[in-house]
Amino acid sequence: MLPLGHLETVWPFFRSRHDFLARGFQFAGSAFRFKLLRNTVVVVSGERARAEFFSSKGLDINEGFKVLSGAIPMLPGVTSNLQSRAIHVIHKRLANAQTSDRLQTLIPYVLKDVERVIHSWGSGSTSLIDPFAHMPALCFQTSVRSLTCHELADDPVTVDRLRLLYDKLDTSTTPASVLLPWLPSPSMVTKLRASKKVYDIVDGAIKARLESGVSRDDTLQMLIDHGDEKLVTIGFVMGLLVAGARSTGTTASWLVTFLAEDAQRRRTAKNEVHALLSAHSYDESIGKNSLAELLANVPVDAWEKHTPTLDKIILETLRIAQPHTAMRRNVGPDTYVDGTYIPSGAYVVYPFSDVHLNPQLYPEPWRFDPDRSQNEDKYSYVGWGGGKTICLGQRLAKLQMKLILATLLLRSDFTLVDKSGKSSVQAPRPNWNDALHCKPPSGSCFLRFDNFTLS
């Protein structure tokens, strides 16, 4: 394992991470290390390293992201520097928020949100949208609905303000704000101010609910009823909305972009949704009920177990268009990952590109092919994480994306076009150097929706 450079040579770790890590492997082989100020960072690759990385008990995910990512609201004791007990409670409440009963209650609200938002795109006529702007905004709305309270979700102005604040958190995540969080740099000041404004919105919603004395069936009420400390409740909301602002929105953006390029796959997915409606809605109700009401008749169990096409589309989209780099810190004694020495206190990084863009595992890895055969190796796919660190919110994220996609498929046919509305545009390649959003260059493609109808 060879060391790489000083701070000025690893600045690209934050700005063009995919290319930086690829150059490191090209120069140093299957593992290399570098310094971020006083922090040692070890980067590993390969099948054995992947398995040991995801299964090691001494490599801590929370400590890893706290220093190397920096892409969360910055409020010590609320979203950062959390005690292990607070983290455990937040994880437990996330599981509570994703029980079958709670998700079933949530579905009608999410579907109404989806219909309202897509109608604003220009229903009843040809509409042209930028999927990398409109889909994240839609997913953020459904995430606010799912993770906070009805009062916030029912207020489009507040939802938009929250989304813009999270965007500001992203743009203020700079190498300086990550590596020198104690330095009052302009980016750090911006991040702190945005974090405080998000805090105030969430705190205000909690106070309003408590003062009203009215109990509502939403996630905030569940958190209040459990009697957790207010800072834990606020931390739950502030921290988990990051997923709606980034990961779910990114996946949904690319999902519809890839589907817009393939008419046959859209038909297959649409037929699958029609089959759900046929199995769980009365034929005579069509025309009397809205599409949202019809889709709400489909139980959670059916969405999860009887949508193999939608499942494959989501999995393949995650593989191609989520440029994650897993980050851990060795909080145990000195250890090894595939023979690479990891001293206690050092950070370990594993890029998902090592597996998901590996042509030996995925021939033509940039090609979107949900039907490609799956490797049986335990760690040949890590789109939802691996080993002891699986995405705890994946059940909710999958359901949100399926409800959005089902509505879009049944409301309209959508195709990939250029900015002038002309067809025959190829989907752009996901930008893995954009570690937060994976966006292609602005204006790369658009979606054209024709004739929003119940079909």
Side-chain angles (χ1 to χ4, degrees):
M1 179 179 69
L2 296 177
L4 288 184
H6 298 288
L7 180 60
E8 64 270 19
T9 65
V10 297
W11 206 255
F13 177 76
F14 296 98
R15 292 302 192 193
S16 53
R17 185 170 297 162
H18 176 65
D19 289 348
F20 169 74
L21 296 177
R23 286 194 298 270
F25 289 130
Q26 184 179 20
F27 172 73
S30 61
F32 63 93
R33 62 182 170 85
F34 59 90
K35 284 282 191 178
L36 289 179
L37 297 184
R38 296 182 178 181
N39 300 307
T40 297
V41 182
V42 182
V43 189
V44 298
S45 68
E47 181 179 355
R48 183 176 173 184
R50 179 165 63 251
E52 294 181 5
F53 176 92
F54 282 109
S55 61
S56 175
K57 295 182 179 179
L59 302 184
D60 187 87
I61 184 172
N62 296 306
E63 287 294 313
F65 273 91
K66 182 169 68 175
V67 170
L68 297 186
S69 175
I72 60 172
M74 294 293 293
L75 286 175
V78 179
T79 58
S80 60
N81 298 325
L82 294 175
Q83 299 296 318
S84 58
R85 184 189 64 82
I87 294 173
H88 173 74
V89 171
I90 289 173
H91 290 174
K92 187 175 181 179
R93 297 296 172 256
L94 181 56
N96 296 148
Q98 296 177 101
T99 64
S100 294
D101 288 343
R102 292 206 63 82
L103 291 179
Q104 195 67 58
T105 300
L106 183 64
I107 283 176
Y109 292 103
V110 171
L111 287 167
K112 289 180 181 178
D113 283 341
V114 174
E115 287 225 312
R116 177 181 59 78
V117 172
I118 67 170
H119 272 294
S120 72
W121 298 347
S123 60
S125 61
T126 298
S127 304
L128 205 65
I129 71 161
D130 179 351
F132 301 99
H134 288 72
M135 293 302 294
L138 172 55
C139 288
F140 190 75
Q141 168 66 48
T142 60
S143 294
V144 171
R145 176 70 67 187
S146 303
L147 296 169
T148 68
C149 60
H150 293 313
E151 291 90 338
L152 290 181
D154 288 338
D155 184 351
V157 174
T158 300
V159 171
D160 193 52
R161 184 179 174 215
L162 276 170
R163 182 175 58 82
L164 292 176
L165 287 170
Y166 275 92
D167 287 346
K168 187 169 289 187
L169 286 169
D170 288 346
T171 57
S172 61
T173 299
T174 66
S177 68
V178 174
L179 296 175
L180 306 170
W182 46 265
L183 181 69
S185 62
S187 59
M188 179 51 70
V189 171
T190 298
K191 181 183 286 288
L192 289 172
R193 285 177 175 170
S195 297
K196 180 59 167 59
K197 289 178 180 178
V198 174
Y199 176 96
D200 288 342
I201 292 173
V202 177
D203 184 42
I206 295 173
K207 289 179 178 177
R209 177 65 63 84
L210 291 174
E211 290 173 359
S212 73
V214 177
S215 178
R216 300 192 66 180
D217 194 3
D218 54 23
T219 298
L220 177 59
Q221 192 66 49
M222 179 269 292
L223 295 170
I224 291 174
D225 290 346
H226 274 101
D228 299 323
E229 297 177 21
K230 186 175 76 168
L231 291 184
V232 171
T233 299
I234 296 177
F236 173 97
V237 173
M238 290 183 65
L240 293 177
L241 277 181
V242 170
R246 300 188 189 118
S247 296
T248 307
T250 293
T251 304
S253 300
W254 283 104
L255 191 156
V256 296
T257 298
F258 290 137
L259 278 183
E261 195 180 30
D262 190 335
Q264 179 56 52
R265 201 171 301 281
R266 288 198 305 278
R267 284 192 291 270
T268 302
K270 185 175 181 178
N271 289 339
E272 184 170 86
V273 177
H274 269 303
L276 286 180
L277 285 180
S278 297
H280 300 284
S281 296
Y282 296 106
D283 290 340
E284 58 266 31
S285 67
I286 295 179
K288 299 179 182 179
N289 298 78
S290 70
L291 176 58
E293 291 171 330
L294 294 176
L295 289 172
N297 288 333
V298 180
V300 170
D301 184 70
W303 284 110
E304 294 182 329
K305 296 181 180 180
H306 303 297
T307 54
T309 298
L310 299 186
D311 284 326
K312 290 191 295 184
I313 291 170
I314 291 172
L315 288 174
E316 180 72 346
T317 304
L318 281 171
R319 182 189 69 79
I320 297 179
Q322 279 290 1
H324 289 317
T325 301
M327 303 171 183
R328 307 284 189 271
R329 189 179 190 184
N330 181 15
V331 296
D334 295 356
T335 188
Y336 290 85
V337 173
D338 191 21
T340 297
Y341 174 62
I342 313 294
S344 179
Y347 294 86
V348 193
V349 163
Y350 176 79
F352 282 22
S353 56
D354 180 64
V355 57
H356 287 169
L357 300 181
N358 186 337
Q360 294 181 331
L361 294 173
Y362 300 97
E364 300 180 71
W366 289 109
R367 179 170 58 88
F368 180 74
D369 181 12
D371 296 322
R372 66 170 74 238
S373 59
Q374 297 296 314
N375 191 294
E376 295 301 321
D377 179 72
K378 182 179 180 181
Y379 295 103
S380 64
Y381 181 89
V382 291
W384 295 107
K388 64 185 185 71
T389 51
I390 299 294
C391 174
L392 299 178
Q394 65 173 289
R395 191 179 188 194
L396 175 60
K398 287 179 183 178
L399 180 62
Q400 285 180 311
M401 286 189 281
K402 289 179 180 181
L403 295 176
I404 290 171
L405 186 56
T407 303
L408 292 177
L409 287 167
L410 296 183
R411 277 297 186 195
S412 173
D413 192 34
F414 50 93
T415 52
L416 202 63
V417 298
D418 61 20
K419 61 183 179 181
S420 67
K422 294 181 180 179
S423 302
S424 302
V425 176
Q426 286 189 329
R429 177 175 289 191
N431 177 17
W432 278 56
N433 282 319
D434 180 0
L436 292 180
H437 301 287
C438 203
K439 289 183 180 180
S442 179
S444 297
C445 65
F446 294 83
L447 299 187
R448 185 178 67 206
F449 288 84
D450 295 309
N451 301 319
F452 279 87
T453 59
L454 173 55
S455 55

